[in-house]
Amino acid sequence: STQSHGESVLRAFFLSNMAAHVPTQGMDVFHAPPAMLVPTKEVSPLEAAKGGFNPYVNNGGTAVAVAGKDYVVVAADTRMSTGYSINTRTTTKITKLTDKCVIATTGMAADARTLHKMIKARLQWYEHQNGKNPSTPAIAQMLSNMLYYRRFFPYYTFNLLAGLDEKGVGCCFSYDAIGSYERNEYAATGTGSALMLSILDNQVAHTNQDEKYRRQLNGVEAVDLVKDVLTSAGERDIYTGDYVDIYKIGPAGMESEKFELKFD
């Protein structure tokens, strides 16, 4: 009938326009509650085809670490974004775990905060039971176990754990989302990491350079370097900016400072 045909046309119109906003599979838009027809967020056509739900979001940001013979420098920007919107300009991505160890995390801010709380809780239990803090390599292994335990629904985080080992040598550990990790002389993670790694390869690892040009940076030079690479990343990555938290761990203890980036 004419009425049935008209209803079919309207139904097709609603479904085509709502597919990008709310899941419609198994739902009659003509009898759904009004709240179900209000767009809640922009999703891609691929997400819409799958139902439009994604438990993860990448809030952006960049972290970098450089380790030396008696120091380690860790830095991360303080911008947190969702899409093209800046949620806050002053959230830290770095958490102090012990007097000789810190962790920097990019990815999903909610998962990062939860993970940092879980790590600190486990370290507190360890201190109560043993009367001391674990070493940085031991914390690195513990973090790997925690991430792998959640491998079927992982924390959407990409971590750098850095500090001094038992011999006082700087160490830096980089991770993927499910706990695979390795110890490096330097590492970077986050949305701006690809923009920094070539500079780190050149200035820290001295890749493809003659032996006579190779030398290890001291702590002051390492701090200047991370400022330079994060400034460079902030020029081209819209998710990196505002401020940089810098932590330096050395024989004299832990020092921190804040460095300003661009605000646009």
Side-chain angles (χ1 to χ4, degrees), residues 3-225:
Q3 183 178 359
S4 299
H5 175 70
E7 183 175 341
S8 298
V9 172
L10 283 174
R11 185 184 300 272
F13 172 81
F14 270 103
L15 290 177
S16 63
N17 281 277
M18 294 303 299
H21 302 293
V22 296
T24 56
Q25 183 175 1
M27 182 183 77
D28 187 345
V29 297
F30 291 95
H31 300 93
M36 291 294 292
L37 302 180
V38 178
T40 56
K41 68 172 185 176
E42 293 291 336
V43 296
S44 68
L46 181 60
E47 287 179 333
K50 294 180 179 179
F53 173 72
N54 187 345
Y56 296 122
V57 60
N58 189 343
N59 294 118
T62 305
V64 59
V66 177
K69 63 180 180 180
D70 62 351
Y71 73 87
V72 66
V73 176
V74 184
D77 75 306
T78 61
R79 177 175 294 181
M80 186 179 79
S81 306
T82 300
Y84 294 112
S85 300
I86 297 175
N87 298 330
T88 177
R89 299 181 184 273
T90 57
T91 185
T92 183
K93 296 178 176 68
I94 303 177
T95 297
K96 176 183 175 181
L97 300 179
T98 70
D99 291 337
K100 296 183 178 181
C101 180
V102 298
I103 182 173
T105 303
T106 62
M108 186 173 176
D111 278 1
R113 183 169 297 182
T114 300
L115 178 61
H116 289 194
K117 287 182 178 179
M118 293 293 293
I119 296 172
K120 293 185 72 173
R122 291 202 178 193
L123 293 178
Q124 190 174 36
W125 295 341
Y126 183 95
E127 184 180 5
H128 289 332
Q129 293 175 348
N130 298 278
K132 63 178 182 178
N133 288 316
S135 65
T136 299
I139 299 173
Q141 180 62 62
M142 182 190 73
L143 175 57
S144 175
N145 295 344
M146 293 175 66
L147 295 172
Y148 187 72
Y149 178 79
R150 284 286 301 269
R151 64 193 179 277
F152 296 115
F153 191 13
Y155 294 112
Y156 190 37
T157 59
F158 305 94
N159 302 279
L160 296 180
L161 189 138
L164 302 180
D165 63 15
E166 301 93 327
K167 298 179 180 179
V169 178
C171 54
C172 168
F173 300 90
S174 57
Y175 295 77
D176 67 7
I178 57 172
S180 178
Y181 76 110
E182 61 179 343
R183 180 171 176 170
N184 297 299
E185 189 178 0
Y186 61 93
T189 186
T191 53
S193 60
L195 301 170
M196 303 190 303
L197 284 172
S198 59
I199 304 175
L200 297 172
D201 289 340
N202 181 272
Q203 295 296 308
V204 182
H206 304 289
T207 305
N208 299 322
Q209 296 183 33
D210 292 337
E211 191 66 32
K212 62 181 180 180
Y213 297 114
R214 299 187 180 188
R215 67 178 185 86
Q216 192 171 62
L217 301 176
N218 59 43
V220 175
E221 292 172 329
V223 171
D224 290 339
L225 177 63

